[in-house]
Every structure is written in C-alpha cells, then in structure tokens.
Amino acid sequence: MSKRKESIARGDGDKLDITPLGAGNEVGRSCVYMTYKDKTVLFDCGIHPGYSGMAALPYFDEIDPSTIDVLLVTHFHLDHCASLPYFLEKTTFKGRVFMTHATKVIYRLLLSDFVKVSKVSVDDMLYDEQDIQRTMSKIEVIDFHQTMEVNGIRFWCYTAGHVLGAAMFMVDIAGVRVLYTGDYSREEDRHLKAAEMPQFSPDVCIIESTYGVQIHQPRIVRERRLTDAVHQTVTNGGRVLIPAFALGRAQELLLILDEYWEAHPELHHIPIYYASPLAKKCMLVYQTYINAMNDRIRSQFEVSNPFIFKHISPLKSIEQFEDNGPSVVMASPGGLQSGLSRQLFDLWCQDKKSSCVIPGYVVEGSLAKTIMNEPKEVTLMSGLVVPLNMKVHYISFSAHADFTQTSAFLSELSPPNIILVHGESNEMGRLKAKLQTQFAEQNVKVLTPKNCQTVEMFFKGEKIAKAVGRLAEKTPKEGDPVSGFLVRKGFSYQLMAPDDLASYTQLSTGSVMQRQSVPYKGAFTVLRHRLQQMYEGVETVAKAELATLKVHDKVTVIQEGVDYIVLQWVSDPVSDMVADSIVAMVLKLDSQSMGGIVSNGFRAKEARLEKDEIRIVHALLVSLFGDVKLDEKQQTLIVTVDGAVATVDHANKGIDCKDENLKGRIKVALRRIQTALYPLDS
C-alpha cells in the first residue's frame, strides 16, 4: 500500500508525522506511528479480529521498527495488544514498552488463551506461548499520573474507563503534546471509574470514533432491556447466550445479572454460567485490583467481595456443561468466531425459544456482526448451513464513548488538531462532519487518515529555560542579567546556580587548583613593580610566611626559592588568562636580567623584533579585553569590546579604531605592556 500524505499546516517549524498502521477508517489492529524531532512513538499494537495470520497484523512493513523509542499499550483487548509478541520477538524493535500494572497481568492471560483457541495452522500462527512469556520481561509498567522519560520523550497516563487498567497516554516531545485516548468512556459504570479529563490541552488529540454520531441509551434503560430479555427467555424455557470477551464487559454484565437474580427468587433454580477457560483467573485479577475501581465497588468490598458471585458458576469447557433446560451462559469470545461462545451458538441457533444477547461493539467480518442483521441462515463451524431461529438482541454495554461523550470531552479539552481513528469509515465520516460544524469558529482541524496515510503538522518550538532553585527565589526585572548554569535534559532546559546542581541534577561542581613554577632570578620588588605597572589590582599579602602578591584577587604569586616563583590560582577562563600573561611577562623579565642591563636601549629595540613578542602582547591584551584575535602573518591584533572593533598594527604601533574611548584604553594598555617588558627603553 503506497503512502499518501495529508498536510494540515505548513511552515518553517519542525514536522510531526502521525501514521495509522491500523485502525485507520476501521475498527481493529489499533496501531499509530508518530515521529517528531527524530523521536518515535508507537501507540498500541493490536490485531484485526476479522482476519487471521499475517493479514491480521498492522502494516509493520511501512516502518523501521528499530527506530522506535517507545511503544505505549493502552489496554488488554486483543485489537490493541495482541500483535505485541510478534512485534517484540519477530521484528528489529529495540525500544521500550510500557503499559499499566493491570494491563500487563491480563495481557498475559488473554494472549495465552488467544493462542490456544486460535483455529489456524502452525504455519499461520503469529507466535506461540514461549514468545508471549519472553515479552513479559521486556514490558515495563507505569502508574496513572506517573511521568516517565525515555530518550527525551516525556509521557504519562490517565484513567480511560473502558476496562480495568485502560489508559490514555499524553506524550510530550520538545513541548509539543499529543494525547492518544485509545478506547475510553466518560461514563462511570458499576465497577469502573469514568475517563479522566487531562489538565493540559494537547496540540494534537488522537481519539477513537467507534460509535461516531450514535448516542447510547441511558444506562438504566439498557440494564432493563438486558434483564427483560434474559428473564423472558428463561421463563419460556429457552437458553440465553451472551458472547463477551473474558475480561472487560463480562464483569459488568455479571454484576448486573447477579444483582437481578438476587432480587428475583423465582429465578434461583435457573443457572448462570461464566463460561471461559480464564474464569477463575479473571476473577482473581479483578479482586486484586479492587482499588483501581470506582467508589461503589471499593465500598462494597469492605463488606463483601462483589466479584464472588452468589448465583453465577464458572464453566471451563463445553464438556462440563449439562444442557438440561433453561440457562444463561456468558461465553468468550465476543465475536463468536471460535471457542465456547461459538460452540454454544451452533448448539442453540436453531431453537426458537433461545436468545443471543450481543452486549457490545463487534467488528465487521465476525459472526456476531452478521447475525445482528438477522439473516435467515447461518453456517456452522462444521460447514453445515442451518436456519437462524434464535432471537438476537443488540444491547450495547460497550464502554466506548458515544457522540455526547466525545463532543463534551473535546469541547473541554480544546485541542487545535483532532485525528479520528478506531472507527468504520462511514461512522467516522459522519463524526468528522459534526465535529467540524461544532468547532467551525475555533479553526479546529479534524482529520480521518486511512491506514498508512501520513498526517503532517508543523510546530515551531521555542527554547525556554526554567529558572530553578536560588535563581527562582527572586524575579528579575526586564533587562536584568541572570547568571547560572544552563542544563539541558532531553528537550527541556533549566537555569540554576552552581550550588543547586547537586539538588536538581545528577551533576556536581568541582574546582581545579593550578600551580605553576616559573624561573625568575631577579629581585621580587622589581617583579612587584612590573606587575603594578601592568595590573591595577596588585596587593601584597602581609601575613604570608614568604613574599606573596595577589593579582586581581585571582592569581597568587609566591617567591618560594631564590631562582623561581610559584603561581597559584583556581582555574577559570579569566584567571587562566591573567596567569598566562603573568608567566609571559616573568619569562621576558627573567631573560632580560640574565642578559645584563643595557643603557643605550639598543638591546631592548632588538628584543621587539623577536618573533615571540607579538604573542606575549596578544596574551596580555586578552587578559585585559577578552576578545582579541591575532594575525601573526600581518602582525596585527583585532580587539572587540561590546561591538566596537580596534585594529592594532604591531609592527608600526598604530591603532585604527572609530571608538575613541576604546582606542585610548588600548593605548594605555600598550604603553603599560611596553614599560613592563622593556623598562630600560627611553
């Protein structure tokens, strides 16, 4: 499939690319690829329930898995996580994988069951039990609201409702924020909290569009429809099949049925079965994560465990089932494509007294979707075509947002860019039109990319440094200089005082004490005189045991022997330049003292022509002015101070400068240098 690109905003900024590899104008194999500033994130890694083998995978061949930094999985449903073992074990992916604690536990259970019940040949199997086990050590867990950072990518997650452990991920790369909702629900049900509203408005919101513009019936109406359909069927001697995934909506429906049976003693003799190989394990998981559920369940748990049902029994296999009369069986999988739910459907589909209640969204291509249209005939797993006589009820308890929830969520969130995924093309198109009308005055972009269609957006990032620690205690006025260390971590910058480095970073400060011995056989008083001519800040250290001078309060000069002096200073750019200039001057002074005193000045004139003289002058000027460039070939020095430029012709001792103040300062400096280097010149 060729890539097509849809650009929504062009500019000179950095490009953000978002590409659905699955769930683009379809429901199934959710997988969204995002890259910005050479950082890459993959959201979800599911399969398409309507296909098998390689055809069920997202379009992984469109990307290079080795470039992905982070893979974020929102929840445990197969269409969001079931291609993860394949991606981790059979591709070049080397990044890190994150999901919530509950999602990781249930992911392991569901995928093991998925491998067992898959009706495909060994050659068509995407992975095996060993592949699933190997992925467990590679999956890292994240708590809700916990901020993680990987290679400059910051991300955290919010409660999404939908199912236990479901998360919405907010990703921040260089200040550009993208929210990926996964499947979410803003309606609190009998055991789950509603999806949270993020406190930050993202630049881009990638949001599900499963129900498009449809509006769910009120919960109380749906519960009554369910219990009425079940009650009527079993009273008439029929069986009720409720195909549902082992975890998720199943627990919600079991709570409803158990409560209804308790309130109706006339039904106590009719059994309810929770038919799943994972039945007991699933209940243990839900009991473990009680604190992740809503206040209603937590309050009830203090009295008794709400997931220990009084009127519901587990059923591991059809061999254990005694089909002797009316019963209610909730069986997985929800799409009726295989497993216990399909076996029971084949047994009961010709019975006019029986009913099938489809309790949630089902994807195109599944048997559950087919019987919602009430065809006259169906094909059994054996290949036999039989009449469909059982009643089919569609009563959605699917914890996906409807239009009312989506509209209100986006209105409060206010993202400037909305990308719709996880929806059939027609439903998605209708939702796009309604949202464009709703946000027409706000210039909100709404896009519906297909699989492998890349959306391009451009963002201009501003580099902002956040002052922390001592620097943040006092707010500077505009124009005030702020001095400190600028520390970069990923795409964020912090400005802090040196003493705060250990508190806010893993860095620490240190100092280097420099100590250098320089040969000098002259009198220390002569050296002090020369230094005073060169520098304004030369002080004698009175209480020192040896003759000691302090230059600019940075460099200490000590006479430790009759034929040498020692320079000591704490290394920094300014102190290093002052020390270099002192060394240059002392060496020159010592060479003159060794050559004797010449009265006629000829020796000094000859010394000026020595090739090293301009370098000494350059070092001294650098210590005084900072930015001084040397051109030995042209025998010139260029001094720059606050934008003013002066050119010194060393050979002819000329100064070319439009700034008279700077020119005067250089003249004085050169005169002092000459006096210090050649004190006997007339």
Side-chain angles (χ1 to χ4, degrees):
M1 181 177 291
S2 62
K3 288 188 180 180
R4 291 172 293 172
K5 294 189 177 180
E6 184 173 351
S7 176
I8 69 164
R10 291 198 171 273
D12 299 326
D14 297 301
K15 185 174 68 166
L16 169 70
D17 282 349
I18 296 175
T19 309
L21 303 178
N25 280 254
E26 67 175 1
V27 176
R29 58 179 165 199
S30 286
C31 187
V32 178
Y33 175 86
M34 181 180 81
T35 180
Y36 181 63
K37 281 184 170 289
D38 297 323
K39 308 296 180 185
T40 305
V41 179
L42 195 67
F43 297 106
D44 279 336
C45 202
I47 61 163
H48 197 299
Y51 305 127
S52 62
M54 297 293 286
L57 292 173
Y59 291 92
F60 292 140
D61 54 342
E62 292 286 330
I63 62 170
D64 179 1
S66 67
T67 63
I68 296 171
D69 298 290
V70 180
L71 197 166
L72 305 175
V73 177
T74 58
H75 64 285
F76 58 70
H77 277 158
L78 298 180
D79 62 324
H80 290 260
C81 73
S83 66
L84 191 59
Y86 177 88
F87 195 68
L88 267 57
E89 299 301 318
K90 316 242 171 168
T91 73
T92 57
F93 175 74
K94 304 189 293 287
R96 295 171 67 180
V97 187
F98 290 87
M99 59 179 68
T100 63
H101 292 263
T103 299
K104 183 176 180 180
V105 173
I106 300 170
Y107 155 87
R108 176 74 177 83
L109 295 175
L110 283 188
L111 264 67
S112 294
D113 184 58
F114 170 69
V115 168
K116 290 173 186 174
V117 303
S118 293
K119 300 296 182 181
V120 295
S121 66
V122 175
D123 293 338
D124 288 334
M125 286 184 64
L126 297 173
Y127 47 83
D128 56 25
E129 181 69 27
Q130 287 69 38
D131 291 323
I132 298 170
Q133 186 58 43
R134 281 192 290 269
T135 66
M136 295 302 289
S137 62
K138 299 176 183 179
I139 297 171
E140 301 176 60
V141 292
I142 182 172
D143 288 322
F144 292 107
H145 309 129
Q146 177 187 5
T147 299
M148 303 288 288
E149 183 164 341
V150 176
N151 195 23
I153 303 168
R154 292 177 65 242
F155 56 92
W156 57 96
C157 63
Y158 303 98
T159 300
H162 189 60
V163 292
L164 180 63
M168 300 187 290
F169 281 98
M170 182 79 82
V171 175
D172 185 319
I173 304 176
V176 173
R177 289 189 176 126
V178 177
L179 177 69
Y180 178 77
T181 66
D183 294 349
Y184 79 104
S185 173
R186 292 279 287 162
E187 179 184 57
E188 182 170 316
D189 59 25
R190 285 174 175 261
H191 72 294
L192 292 177
K193 301 173 183 176
E196 294 178 271
M197 175 59 65
Q199 68 268 44
F200 302 107
S201 177
D203 298 287
V204 183
C205 180
I206 306 172
I207 188 169
E208 70 152 315
S209 56
T210 313
Y211 279 94
V213 297
Q214 297 178 46
I215 297 176
H216 296 323
Q217 288 181 324
R219 166 164 286 275
I220 190 169
V221 174
R222 284 178 280 154
E223 289 190 9
R224 190 182 302 118
R225 286 181 61 205
L226 170 67
T227 54
D228 286 352
V230 171
H231 195 146
Q232 184 178 355
T233 301
V234 296
T235 302
N236 292 335
R239 285 90 166 162
V240 179
L241 171 63
I242 306 176
F245 293 105
L247 281 145
R249 290 301 85 197
Q251 282 64 41
E252 180 76 3
L253 297 170
L254 291 173
L255 287 168
I256 295 170
L257 291 174
D258 197 56
E259 182 182 295
Y260 186 79
W261 246 243
E262 180 66 20
H264 291 78
E266 71 274 17
L267 298 176
H268 288 184
H269 67 286
I270 297 175
I272 304 176
Y273 296 105
Y274 176 30
S276 168
L278 303 176
K280 285 188 177 179
K281 291 181 180 178
C282 291
M283 287 298 100
L284 286 174
V285 170
Y286 268 69
Q287 292 166 30
T288 302
Y289 289 97
I290 285 288
N291 288 329
M293 299 180 201
N294 59 26
D295 294 338
R296 177 184 179 276
I297 285 290
R298 291 203 301 271
S299 299
Q300 190 176 340
F301 187 71
E302 293 176 3
V303 179
S304 64
N305 191 331
F307 291 106
I308 297 178
F309 299 113
K310 186 175 180 180
H311 304 283
I312 298 169
S313 305
L315 180 65
K316 280 193 174 183
S317 66
I318 198 167
E319 288 76 18
Q320 298 176 351
F321 179 48
E322 295 181 5
D323 190 11
N324 296 325
S327 63
V328 180
V329 182
M330 184 176 301
S332 62
L336 294 173
Q337 62 267 43
S338 59
L340 279 168
S341 64
R342 180 59 185 269
Q343 290 174 308
L344 292 171
F345 175 83
D346 284 5
L347 285 175
W348 298 341
C349 66
Q350 299 179 65
D351 181 11
K352 294 180 179 181
K353 295 180 181 179
S354 297
S355 297
C356 179
V357 178
I358 298 174
Y361 188 89
V362 286
V363 299
E364 294 289 343
S366 63
L367 176 61
K369 186 72 171 179
T370 300
I371 66 171
M372 281 173 56
N373 297 322
E374 299 185 7
K376 292 182 179 180
E377 296 178 330
V378 291
T379 303
L380 305 182
M381 285 192 293
S382 63
L384 186 65
V385 177
V386 298
L388 176 63
N389 295 326
M390 72 188 316
K391 298 180 182 67
V392 178
H393 304 273
Y394 175 61
I395 309 169
S396 178
F397 287 88
S398 178
H400 291 274
D402 64 358
F403 176 71
T404 302
Q405 294 179 40
T406 299
S407 174
F409 182 72
L410 291 173
S411 293
E412 189 172 346
L413 193 64
S414 298
N417 302 290
I418 300 169
I419 296 179
L420 302 180
V421 295
H422 198 281
E424 300 297 344
S425 183
N426 292 335
E427 287 291 345
M428 190 180 286
R430 285 192 281 268
L431 177 60
K432 175 181 179 180
K434 269 211 168 187
L435 292 177
Q436 286 176 327
T437 302
Q438 178 179 339
F439 298 113
E441 296 181 0
Q442 301 174 37
N443 195 30
V444 173
K445 308 287 193 305
V446 183
L447 296 113
T448 57
K450 297 178 181 178
N451 285 336
C452 305
Q453 182 177 352
T454 299
V455 172
E456 295 179 350
M457 302 179 190
F458 294 84
F459 294 93
K460 284 189 176 180
E462 294 183 355
K463 290 184 173 66
I464 299 175
K466 181 181 179 182
V468 297
R470 300 180 188 183
L471 294 183
E473 292 175 358
K474 184 180 179 182
T475 304
K477 297 178 181 178
E478 188 174 348
D480 288 352
V482 179
S483 177
F485 281 110
L486 184 64
V487 180
R488 175 183 172 181
K489 185 178 181 182
F491 294 106
S492 63
Y493 297 84
Q494 290 183 322
L495 188 66
M496 63 192 71
D499 293 340
D500 287 329
L501 275 175
S503 301
Y504 292 93
T505 71
Q506 295 180 335
L507 304 174
S508 60
T509 57
S511 59
V512 178
M513 175 65 77
Q514 299 266 35
R515 179 179 170 87
Q516 185 171 355
S517 298
V518 183
Y520 177 69
K521 297 180 179 180
F524 197 70
T525 53
V526 174
L527 175 61
R528 182 181 62 195
H529 176 66
R530 300 296 184 262
L531 289 173
Q532 287 173 338
Q533 287 181 311
M534 173 69 70
Y535 302 104
E536 295 178 356
V538 179
E539 298 177 356
T540 301
V541 181
K543 296 182 180 181
E545 295 180 2
L546 301 173
T548 306
L549 300 173
K550 196 81 169 180
V551 181
H552 280 317
D553 202 33
K554 291 183 177 293
V555 181
T556 303
V557 182
I558 309 169
Q559 187 178 28
E560 291 195 357
V562 295
D563 58 353
Y564 72 95
I565 61 169
V566 172
L567 274 63
Q568 283 187 177
W569 71 98
V570 176
S571 185
D572 65 57
V574 175
S575 299
D576 290 347
M577 288 191 295
V578 172
D580 288 345
S581 64
I582 293 174
V583 169
M585 191 194 73
V586 171
L587 290 174
K588 192 68 179 179
L589 191 61
D590 189 60
S591 67
Q592 288 177 344
S593 65
M594 291 175 63
I597 298 176
V598 183
S599 59
N600 60 8
F602 175 79
R603 182 73 172 271
K605 293 290 183 183
E606 185 180 48
R608 288 188 189 135
L609 301 177
E610 293 179 1
K611 65 179 181 179
D612 290 337
E613 181 181 315
I614 192 170
R615 297 178 185 171
I616 297 169
V617 174
H618 174 249
L620 294 171
L621 288 178
V622 167
S623 69
L624 295 172
F625 297 101
D627 187 2
V628 182
K629 292 182 173 59
L630 169 64
D631 186 339
E632 289 191 59
K633 186 175 181 181
Q634 299 294 328
Q635 288 285 292
T636 59
L637 300 107
I638 300 174
V639 182
T640 304
V641 178
D642 295 334
V645 181
T647 302
V648 178
D649 186 342
H650 179 68
N652 300 315
K653 299 299 180 283
I655 302 173
D656 181 17
C657 182
K658 295 180 180 179
D659 189 320
E660 293 298 327
N661 183 39
L662 177 60
K663 186 175 183 179
R665 287 171 61 194
I666 295 174
K667 278 185 178 180
V668 172
L670 289 174
R671 186 164 59 247
R672 286 184 175 183
I673 292 171
Q674 293 300 314
T675 303
L677 292 177
Y678 308 109
L680 301 180
D681 274 7
S682 55

